[in-house]
Amino acid sequence: MILTRRVRLVAACAATLAVVAPLAWLWQASRLPRAYSVMDMGYADGGRQAGAQHHDHRGGATRDITTLVADPARRPDIEVTLTAREQRVRLASGREIDGYTFNGRSPGPQITAVAGQLVQVRLVNESVPGGVTLHWHGVDVPGAEDGVAGVTQDAVRIGRDFVYRFVVRRAGTFWYHSHQLSHEQVAGGLFGALVVRPARPPAALDVVALAHLYHGIRTLNGSESDVTVPARPGATARVRVVNTDNGPTPVWVTGAAWRLVAVDGADLRGPTAVEHAAVLVTAGGRADFEVTMPSGGGSVRVQIGGPLSVVLGRPSGVPPSARPAATLDLLTYGTPAPLGFDPAHPDRAFRYEMGRRPGFLDGVPGLYWTVNGHMYPDVPMFTVADGDVVRMTIVNDSGEVHPMHLHGHRAVVLARDGVPATGSPWWVDSLNVEDGESYDIAFLADNPGIWVDHCHNLPHAREGLLVHLMYENVTTPFLIGGPAGNSRE
């Protein structure tokens, strides 16, 4: 009897050990170092294509990312100081919430420039405890100016500052936000609009609409109410919608003829009049609507997500309407145009397949995102050389929608679910990828650096849905973690 009990006890202990030991190993293996370089993460994926003419620069000089800057001798055309604070945010309604501000307000001040100008922004951290940076969302800045803590700089601690300098080469609608603890800081208010106008802008009313959710409170330009803008009969208005939230939002227009003229800061070719359709603006994305006011007078309503609108004309002119059943398909909208490179013969081709499975991330159990079957930090480092034509297939089998954002480049959509694009070149830096969808995109590797390619549902990036695009021979001295406390997203 005693022997039987001992055998049962040993068997129970062995069974427990068989379960606990692998879990303990997974827990230990998932622990991240206190400081590490993104260059040492995961595994290299060169994406090389047989027969392609590669621009391999590995025999050349190594470039520190801090040297990839705008001409230091050039004087800035625009100079701005943004002071970041942790403080109560006062909405236009008078309601106050806990959050963060730039120059005492949220959204932060709009920065406006003309294409070709050099913008210089001094970021001062007065009281944000976790440190702060500035990322120029959609702007192809030099590698050192991208504002990603632990990759292109250290987070700016309290009492310190950092100066960004970059030339805005393309006119369009962009925005800026913190890229340190961004899942908290952007939601809390550290963001603002950046509008780059052409040298000879058309004679049109220009309206910026920043959609943002503060602690469950939906706002436009920091207001809980509609944004009303006077507009005369027959006038043309450009309404620039910026989605600063973590999920996609539909936008539709009632009361006038309208066209979608730009996406993610890139003009569409041959846009036509749209009726009875909405435009889906993904998280981080932008869409520019051109509206012609009725010649006989009246108002136009641009509804953003439904509850709030930009109203052009009289505030009571056009009541809110239900979302149209149709969504504008940008795969076929507009007319084709040359791309400037041939995506049919890429130098590199990559696959970015998103999934989800249980596991440990830095010792914490959970249901985490995967890239090509791997969990962070064991994810691919997509490696390219300056001048490469790059093709990427993005596949979402994760169960949720993901707004994918590539830093430092704009990509053109080639196909969705295998169906080729036939409309205007659809250039994006933020692409809405629904569960079950796949996209083929392409871009020219013409901006050396180390660039984040991640989900702009920012908590998803924090949970590991993030990789990097690295140029050969570019290095970074900065570390995730370490004394600066750089966050991993």
Side-chain angles (χ1 to χ4, degrees):
M1 180 67 71
I2 295 175
L3 181 60
T4 302
R5 288 177 181 173
R6 287 178 178 174
V7 168
R8 289 176 178 172
L9 180 60
V10 169
C13 290
T16 301
L17 187 62
V19 173
V20 172
L23 290 177
W25 183 87
L26 289 171
W27 172 84
Q28 180 61 37
S30 76
R31 298 285 293 175
L32 298 174
R34 298 186 67 179
Y36 61 94
S37 172
V38 297
M39 297 183 65
D40 299 328
M41 283 173 48
Y43 59 95
D45 183 349
R48 292 190 174 276
Q49 298 300 286
Q53 181 179 355
H54 298 293
H55 306 79
D56 195 337
H57 298 161
R58 284 179 293 183
T62 298
R63 293 172 289 179
D64 188 303
I65 201 168
T66 60
T67 67
L68 301 175
V69 297
D71 181 359
R74 179 173 169 180
R75 296 176 62 86
D77 300 291
I78 306 292
E79 293 186 71
V80 178
T81 295
L82 295 176
T83 300
R85 301 183 180 98
E86 181 184 46
Q87 66 178 126
R88 300 279 287 174
V89 176
R90 185 178 181 85
L91 303 178
S93 63
R95 189 194 319 219
E96 291 189 352
I97 56 175
D98 291 327
Y100 306 94
T101 65
F102 284 123
N103 295 1
R105 50 175 288 191
S106 179
Q110 178 176 311
I111 300 174
T112 303
V114 173
Q117 289 185 324
L118 192 150
V119 177
Q120 179 172 298
V121 179
R122 178 174 174 252
L123 170 64
V124 179
N125 184 358
E126 185 174 295
S127 59
V128 178
V132 66
T133 68
L134 284 176
H135 167 60
W136 310 98
H137 192 114
V139 184
D140 299 341
V141 299
E145 311 295 348
D146 197 39
V148 179
V151 180
T152 66
Q153 68 174 98
D154 281 330
V156 181
R157 313 304 296 185
I158 292 175
R160 298 188 179 181
D161 66 354
F162 189 93
V163 176
Y164 300 87
R165 288 168 49 87
F166 52 91
V167 176
V168 284
R169 304 192 183 281
R170 292 187 293 114
T173 306
F174 309 100
W175 62 300
Y176 61 87
H177 60 80
S178 178
H179 218 288
Q180 163 73 353
L181 300 170
S182 59
H183 63 296
E184 297 176 1
Q185 293 185 3
V186 177
L190 288 184
F191 67 92
L194 170 59
V195 175
V196 183
R197 295 195 171 95
R200 294 183 178 178
L205 184 65
D206 202 299
V207 183
V208 176
L210 286 158
H212 192 71
L213 198 67
Y214 294 92
H215 302 300
I217 305 167
R218 192 165 297 280
T219 66
L220 282 183
N221 296 346
S223 172
E224 297 176 67
S225 305
D226 291 343
V227 173
T228 302
V229 181
R232 57 180 175 78
T236 299
R238 189 181 189 110
V239 180
R240 305 172 184 265
V241 176
V242 182
N243 183 4
T244 70
D245 288 324
N246 288 323
T249 189
V251 182
W252 63 97
V253 180
T254 54
W258 64 278
R259 301 185 303 158
L260 180 68
V261 294
V263 172
D264 284 1
D267 287 347
L268 297 172
R269 182 186 176 104
T272 56
V274 180
E275 293 183 0
H276 312 302
V279 173
L280 193 68
V281 183
T282 196
R286 290 86 63 213
D288 292 14
F289 296 78
E290 184 185 85
V291 177
T292 302
M293 298 298 294
S295 58
S299 300
V300 176
R301 182 177 290 272
V302 182
Q303 290 185 234
I304 302 173
L308 295 177
S309 305
V310 171
V311 179
L312 304 171
R314 294 180 291 106
S316 59
V318 178
S321 63
R323 174 183 176 176
T327 299
L328 186 67
D329 189 354
L330 295 181
L331 209 65
T332 59
Y333 183 68
T335 57
L339 300 178
F341 62 90
D342 184 6
H345 299 92
D347 299 292
R348 315 269 183 158
F350 301 107
R351 188 172 181 85
Y352 195 138
E353 185 169 348
M354 297 171 284
R356 202 176 193 188
R357 63 177 170 83
F360 290 85
L361 177 56
D362 200 18
V364 179
L367 192 60
Y368 291 110
W369 311 108
T370 61
V371 180
N372 298 349
H374 296 259
M375 281 177 48
Y376 186 94
D378 185 28
V379 290
M381 172 71 82
F382 298 129
T383 306
V384 300
D386 197 359
D388 281 340
V389 172
V390 183
R391 187 169 179 133
M392 182 178 290
T393 299
I394 304 172
V395 181
N396 185 1
D397 288 322
S398 71
E400 290 190 27
V401 62
H402 297 296
M404 301 309 296
H405 175 50
L406 171 63
H407 288 213
H409 304 76
R410 61 172 183 164
V412 66
V413 175
L414 303 175
R416 181 182 59 233
D417 297 333
V419 178
T422 58
S424 167
W426 175 12
W427 295 97
V428 296
D429 56 66
S430 305
L431 180 63
N432 199 73
V433 186
E434 296 280 354
D435 180 43
E437 281 188 334
S438 68
Y439 277 89
D440 290 296
I441 64 172
F443 60 92
L444 184 63
D446 59 358
N447 194 11
I450 301 174
W451 304 99
V452 184
D453 188 353
H454 66 104
C455 179
H456 218 271
N457 184 330
L458 296 173
H460 290 182
R462 180 71 174 175
E463 295 161 2
L465 192 42
L466 173 153
V467 301
H468 294 87
L469 176 78
M470 182 175 73
Y471 280 66
E472 292 173 352
N473 294 336
V474 175
T475 63
T476 177
F478 303 108
L479 301 173
I480 304 298
N486 297 320
S487 62
R488 64 174 178 262
E489 98 296 346

